[in-house]
Amino acid sequence: MGQNDHDIDTKEPAKKVNTPYDDVFRTLLNDCRMLLLPVLNEVFGEEYTGNEQILYSKNEHYLNKQDGEEDERITDASFVVVGKVTKSYLFECQSTSDSSMLVRIFEYATQIALDEGAIIENKLKVTIPNSAVLFLRSTRNTPDKMQIEIETPGGSVSFDVFVMKVKEYDLNQIFEKDLLFLIPFYIFNYGSQKQLEELEEDSEKLEALENEYQLIVERLNALTEEGKLSAYYRMTILEMSGKVVENLAAQYEKVVKGVKDIMGGTVLDYKAKDILREGEMAGKKEMVINMHKDGVKEDLIAKYANVSIELVRKWIGLQPV
């Protein structure tokens, strides 16, 4: 074993402790899913235009253990993008690096591949999803890319785990590249204890931070006025930004108040969710009908639209003959 090699302790499966930042990450994925396409373009070099569909797979996966029991794992995001071609993705959010992260990604990726796999004659065919990690915090030692290598009797195979770091994007880059998904996590650029203490104690530095967030609000407002960003997406970005600041800077009252006053004051009731729910079923019906036209099987349509097969059949039956 080389000097830089490390043994992996597999006695206990790798588990992830969820944080408020994971909750924000999932909220963005579920409520503002189209913000994800520019992120995929940036991380994987895709060329998505915004006309694609994002279909989420189940978050809960059950890993089979040697004693016959199952161990539940919850991924941050497992989804499929349907465009000119269909691709599956695994996208994880990580606030700090830890030694078990690659083990978790391997567990998730292989279980997702198995869940979506198929036995064709005497062959089991599985597809590893395109995998990436969003690092909310990073240092000079944080890798730009990671890799998982598997030795098999037939030879060695490997796949890359791509890395995105919040710290690498300033406000201009975020807006120029349409990476609005990163805005709620922007405060992590000032997330060290030393930086937060300086902001709390130095009024000029705090004012500079507040000016940055004022600029964020103004640019989001401009996008909404131009019809490039829905009012719902804008509201969600502001709401989630406030939640991240509340948690990251919980001990620094001036920082929290300064940023949240600009981002919309006290926590919003998030009434836009009610508006979203009203149109959700209509959107799902349209998705079901389009997938049926594309020849997708009813059970897969039900799975990706998260509705019953009975409802799928009802909606398909309502199509004009």
Side-chain angles (χ1 to χ4, degrees):
M1 182 174 291
Q3 186 177 4
N4 295 323
D5 294 337
H6 301 279
D7 289 328
I8 299 175
D9 183 2
T10 56
K11 294 179 181 178
E12 291 293 334
K15 289 189 177 182
K16 179 175 181 176
V17 178
N18 287 333
T19 69
Y21 315 124
D22 297 311
D23 295 337
V24 168
F25 184 77
R26 290 198 186 101
T27 297
L28 291 170
L29 290 171
N30 286 290
D31 292 359
C32 304
R33 64 180 62 189
M34 298 312 290
L35 295 183
L36 190 55
L37 293 175
V39 173
L40 300 180
N41 290 343
E42 178 72 8
V43 176
F44 294 101
E46 305 287 10
E47 296 181 350
Y48 294 128
T49 63
N51 295 320
E52 297 78 12
Q53 284 185 313
I54 299 178
L55 308 175
Y56 283 100
S57 305
K58 62 181 181 180
N59 276 17
E60 299 82 7
H61 296 275
Y62 292 87
L63 308 183
N64 296 321
K65 300 167 68 176
Q66 290 181 351
D67 58 8
E69 295 183 359
E70 291 181 326
D71 191 41
E72 183 180 10
R73 288 290 184 278
I74 298 179
T75 67
D76 281 346
S78 170
F79 55 92
V80 171
V81 176
V82 181
K84 293 180 179 179
V85 297
T86 299
K87 292 186 178 181
S88 62
Y89 295 90
L90 171 63
F91 194 32
E92 289 288 304
C93 177
Q94 190 75 20
S95 57
T96 55
S97 181
D98 68 76
S99 59
S100 66
M101 183 180 56
L102 276 175
V103 178
R104 287 200 311 274
I105 292 173
F106 176 74
E107 288 180 339
Y108 297 156
T110 52
Q111 194 63 48
I112 290 167
L114 188 58
D115 289 346
E116 305 294 333
I119 296 177
I120 304 173
E121 295 181 349
N122 295 318
K123 180 188 293 185
L124 170 63
K125 185 175 181 180
V126 295
T127 302
I128 295 291
N130 296 278
S131 304
V133 178
L134 173 64
F135 279 103
L136 305 183
R137 294 184 179 93
S138 58
T139 67
R140 66 183 65 182
N141 295 322
T142 305
D144 294 324
K145 186 168 65 175
M146 300 177 289
Q147 191 173 69
I148 293 175
E149 183 174 337
I150 308 164
E151 292 289 344
T152 77
S156 174
V157 294
S158 64
F159 65 93
D160 292 329
V161 178
F162 291 86
V163 169
M164 187 179 206
K165 306 171 190 176
V166 170
K167 196 174 182 179
E168 291 187 342
Y169 298 91
D170 60 27
L171 285 185
N172 285 332
Q173 290 173 313
I174 285 174
F175 281 95
E176 286 170 3
K177 296 186 175 186
D178 203 22
L179 299 175
L180 307 184
F181 190 95
L182 299 182
I183 289 176
F185 305 111
Y186 186 73
I187 190 64
F188 274 93
N189 288 307
Y190 302 90
S192 72
Q193 184 174 348
K194 180 180 178 181
Q195 287 174 304
L196 290 171
E197 287 176 353
E198 290 176 350
L199 290 169
E200 187 76 3
E201 296 169 1
D202 190 322
S203 59
E204 290 186 3
K205 289 185 177 181
L206 180 58
E207 184 180 0
L209 177 68
E210 292 170 350
N211 289 339
E212 285 193 67
Y213 274 91
Q214 183 62 48
L215 181 60
I216 289 174
V217 172
E218 291 172 359
R219 295 184 75 164
L220 289 176
N221 289 345
L223 289 174
T224 301
E225 291 170 4
E226 294 166 8
K228 297 178 180 178
L229 181 71
S230 73
Y232 176 77
Y233 274 26
R234 172 190 170 277
M235 185 176 183
T236 305
I237 292 170
L238 295 176
E239 167 71 3
M240 294 301 105
S241 297
K243 288 186 180 298
V244 173
V245 171
E246 276 184 331
N247 283 278
L248 187 63
Q251 300 177 8
Y252 305 96
E253 294 181 5
K254 293 179 183 178
V255 175
V256 173
K257 184 178 186 305
V259 173
K260 291 201 66 182
D261 282 351
I262 292 168
M263 300 298 279
T266 57
V267 176
L268 301 173
D269 290 334
Y270 214 15
K271 292 179 180 177
K273 271 189 175 292
D274 296 332
I275 300 171
L276 181 68
R277 290 190 188 101
E278 291 176 5
E280 188 177 54
M281 295 308 288
K284 285 188 176 184
K285 180 178 178 180
E286 182 180 359
M287 179 197 304
V288 165
I289 292 173
N290 288 336
M291 291 179 73
H292 176 67
K293 288 178 179 178
D294 291 339
V296 181
K297 294 182 179 178
E298 290 178 4
D299 57 340
L300 287 178
I301 295 176
K303 174 182 177 181
Y304 287 124
N306 196 25
V307 296
S308 67
I309 290 183
E310 290 75 19
L311 189 55
V312 168
R313 290 170 179 163
K314 178 181 178 182
W315 283 344
I316 290 172
L318 292 176
Q319 292 182 82
V321 178

